[in-house]
Amino acid sequence: MKTLFPIIGMLISLLFFSCNSSENQAKSSDTLVIVHKPEELRKDSVSNQKEMVSENTLNLIKIGLGEMFKDDLSKNLIDEQSRKFKVFEHNINEEPKKEIFVGLTGSYFCGSGGCTVLLLHPDGELITKFTVTEYPLLIAETYTKGWNDLILHSQGKDHLMKFNGKTYPSNPSIQPDYTLVSSQNPVMGLESSDQSYSW
């Protein structure tokens, strides 16, 4: 009987340690799941990253801005800070190529109500010159006449901009107010963190 107690004690000890061991394995497998989650998130964020702007697009914009504002440039009215722009490309119609949004900066193009934003065809031709627009802009999932509706922030509110067949309205502040709902998933462009380019 005396030898039976140490054997029972050893069995209980083994059972206790094996339980702890399987519990540790469960914890380590939980840890493995946690390790994989950031990897999945990283893949998602990579797919959402903006594409690099091509040199051709940048040159197209620089030449276009030089032509568009050549009179004011010749009079030295546009200061160096105002000779910078942000760019965002996105296909907003049924054509295969992406349209180009150009966000202008500096005191010449920006005031208390916002800045000037240009919307260009892929070949650089002007579609719309938006005024008093705050960054970023949103591209809605809805369409008018085959073009995405735009949501531009102006005067402290979002405004819905609809294509009329040739252009968009130029002043968002006088367009209908718009409330974004959580079920919508617009594309965002011309964010404050976007790179600026000189022209």
Side-chain angles (χ1 to χ4, degrees):
M1 191 75 172
K2 283 184 180 179
T3 55
L4 191 58
F5 281 120
I7 292 172
I8 291 172
M10 283 176 51
L11 287 173
I12 289 172
S13 295
L14 281 170
L15 187 61
F16 177 77
F17 284 119
S18 69
C19 285
N20 270 351
S21 173
S22 63
E23 197 174 295
N24 285 339
Q25 285 176 346
K27 282 181 183 172
S28 68
S29 70
D30 287 348
T31 305
L32 287 175
V33 172
I34 292 168
V35 167
H36 288 296
K37 283 183 180 176
E39 190 60 38
E40 291 164 11
L41 291 173
R42 226 182 342 267
K43 285 177 186 170
D44 289 344
S45 65
V46 167
S47 67
N48 290 331
Q49 285 178 353
K50 292 178 185 171
E51 295 174 20
M52 293 293 291
V53 181
S54 73
E55 280 299 317
N56 286 344
T57 299
L58 291 175
N59 289 333
L60 187 73
I61 294 168
K62 290 173 185 180
I63 292 167
L65 291 173
E67 280 297 310
M68 199 177 295
F69 300 104
K70 67 180 173 185
D71 290 342
D72 291 345
L73 287 169
S74 68
K75 297 171 188 171
N76 290 323
L77 296 175
I78 304 177
D79 61 298
E80 187 178 333
Q81 197 57 36
S82 299
R83 293 191 61 179
K84 294 184 186 300
F85 65 90
K86 295 177 183 293
V87 62
F88 172 64
E89 294 178 282
H90 193 79
N91 191 345
I92 59 171
N93 60 24
E94 296 158 352
E95 300 295 323
K97 292 186 177 178
K98 296 177 182 178
E99 282 64 41
I100 307 164
F101 290 91
V102 180
L104 300 173
T105 62
S107 58
Y108 185 84
F109 295 107
C110 300
S112 58
C115 298
T116 298
V117 175
L118 306 176
L119 173 58
L120 309 175
H121 283 289
D123 63 4
E125 183 187 344
L126 181 68
I127 300 169
T128 307
K129 180 179 178 181
F130 300 107
T131 58
V132 292
T133 300
E134 297 172 42
Y135 304 131
L137 59 81
L138 301 175
I139 298 171
E141 297 172 302
T142 55
Y143 291 83
T144 303
K145 298 188 185 294
W147 289 60
N148 282 96
D149 297 332
L150 305 178
I151 304 164
L152 302 185
H153 198 76
S154 183
Q155 308 293 323
K157 295 178 181 177
D158 286 333
H159 301 271
L160 187 63
M161 313 290 284
K162 294 180 175 242
F163 192 72
N164 67 10
K166 292 184 178 179
T167 188
Y168 288 90
S170 62
N171 185 346
S173 67
I174 60 173
Q175 295 306 306
D177 293 353
Y178 185 78
T179 303
L180 193 64
V181 294
S182 58
S183 62
Q184 294 171 325
N185 189 25
V187 174
M188 186 180 293
L190 297 181
E191 299 178 66
S192 57
S193 59
D194 289 354
Q195 182 176 345
S196 290
Y197 302 91
S198 296
W199 58 283

